[in-house]
Amino acid sequence: MQRSCKNLASSLITRRRFCSSATKSDEKIVASVLFERLPVVIPKIDPVVYAFQEFSFRWRQQFRRAYPDSFLKKADNRGQGDYNIDYVPAPRVTEADKTNDKKSLQRALDRRLYLLIYGHTYGAAGEEPVWHFPEKIYESEGTLRKCAESALKSVIGDLTNTYFVGNAPMGHMIMPPKENGKELSTLKRFIFKSQVIATDKFDIKKGKDFVWVTKDELLEYFPEQAEYLDKMIISL
């Protein structure tokens, strides 16, 4: 019994080593980062949702409990004082919106924004730069998330104002070798999500150009992967 278990274990180890060596030579793993800025202001309510909420409020008013007048007068008198606060709401449309400045985080305040880099990427069809997420080929990092952190750090320089959502990737894409490209290995691209925390500006240090775009704008940059990215990115 012990001899059979040892034989089984040795065969599994042999198979594991064979698979690892084959994977190392035939394909490469890339860690990409979907770096997003959350909405800064409350999004506008959809007219259909607003109409339903108004109907629900009017319906509940018909069956609400009537409180005594003495109780309501006490509530009205509470909190009255000599102070007066002038509240002026910030504009929802900023100067970056008016000029369509996609390099600024001060735009589309009620939407999520995503960072794209313009430069050379792994698995591209040629030498021309393309738009892509911050990415890095997995080498000797302890985990894929560590590799993703290194990819984002190489772009923005510091991870102080970032937050990685979980340790697992939010999606992955398998990219076969391009016929007219130098890369002959299959690329497995694992995408991690990270979010902007407590800042409205980053010093982008990598790539020839960069943009902060909404989800609808992002899909226009990736027409071949638009269907998959549309399902993966769940946002307004």
Side-chain angles (χ1 to χ4, degrees):
M1 181 67 178
Q2 294 180 354
R3 185 176 300 175
S4 62
C5 292
K6 291 181 179 180
N7 294 334
L8 178 60
S10 61
S11 63
L12 289 175
I13 294 174
T14 303
R15 292 178 183 177
R16 179 68 177 268
R17 288 177 179 174
F18 176 78
C19 294
S20 300
S21 60
T23 301
K24 187 175 181 180
S25 60
D26 296 340
E27 62 187 23
K28 293 183 179 180
I29 296 177
V30 178
S32 300
V33 182
L34 183 72
F35 194 37
E36 70 172 355
R37 186 221 65 190
L38 297 176
V40 179
V41 299
I42 300 176
K44 293 183 178 180
I45 301 177
D46 186 90
V48 177
V49 177
Y50 180 81
F52 175 76
Q53 292 179 349
E54 185 178 11
F55 168 78
S56 300
F57 174 77
R58 293 180 181 276
W59 181 265
R60 291 193 301 267
Q61 287 295 98
Q62 300 178 14
F63 306 99
R64 69 181 179 87
R65 179 181 177 183
Y67 290 94
D69 295 338
S70 58
F71 178 81
L72 295 177
K73 290 181 179 179
K74 291 182 179 179
D76 293 338
N77 295 329
R78 184 180 302 171
Q80 292 183 356
D82 298 333
Y83 56 86
N84 186 15
I85 300 177
D86 294 330
Y87 172 73
V88 179
R92 300 177 66 93
V93 179
T94 63
E95 192 64 29
D97 289 317
K98 297 177 182 179
T99 59
N100 196 26
D101 183 8
K102 293 185 178 181
K103 292 187 178 182
S104 174
L105 279 171
Q106 295 297 317
R107 63 179 293 263
L109 299 181
D110 60 342
R111 307 284 300 277
R112 296 173 186 245
L113 294 181
Y114 303 94
L115 175 64
L116 295 180
I117 305 297
Y118 186 70
H120 297 286
T121 182
Y122 305 107
E127 297 291 339
E128 295 297 327
V130 296
W131 290 101
H132 62 278
F133 301 118
E135 61 183 13
K136 183 182 182 298
I137 285 186
Y138 176 74
E139 295 175 344
S140 59
E141 294 84 1
T143 62
L144 267 179
R145 170 172 164 168
K146 291 291 185 182
C147 183
E149 291 177 353
S150 299
L152 185 59
K153 187 175 181 180
S154 66
V155 173
I156 63 176
D158 188 11
L159 300 180
T160 302
N161 298 106
T162 66
Y163 170 72
F164 273 81
V165 183
N167 295 316
M170 62 183 299
H172 82 285
M173 296 184 291
I174 299 178
M175 306 180 65
K178 300 289 185 180
E179 295 181 358
N180 55 345
K182 293 183 179 181
E183 186 63 55
L184 300 178
S185 302
T186 300
L187 289 179
K188 286 188 175 181
R189 194 182 304 275
F190 292 87
I191 304 174
F192 289 78
K193 177 186 283 190
S194 182
Q195 296 175 341
V196 177
I197 300 296
T199 187
D200 58 2
K201 187 177 181 180
F202 285 98
D203 183 15
I204 307 298
K205 301 181 178 180
K206 192 174 182 180
K208 296 183 178 181
D209 200 0
F210 69 93
V211 290
W212 290 95
V213 294
T214 62
K215 177 182 176 180
D216 295 335
E217 295 169 342
L218 183 146
L219 298 179
E220 297 177 358
Y221 286 84
F222 302 98
E224 297 181 358
Q225 296 87 20
E227 182 178 359
Y228 176 78
L229 293 175
D230 184 34
K231 295 179 181 178
M232 184 188 73
I233 304 174
I234 303 176
S235 68
L236 299 174

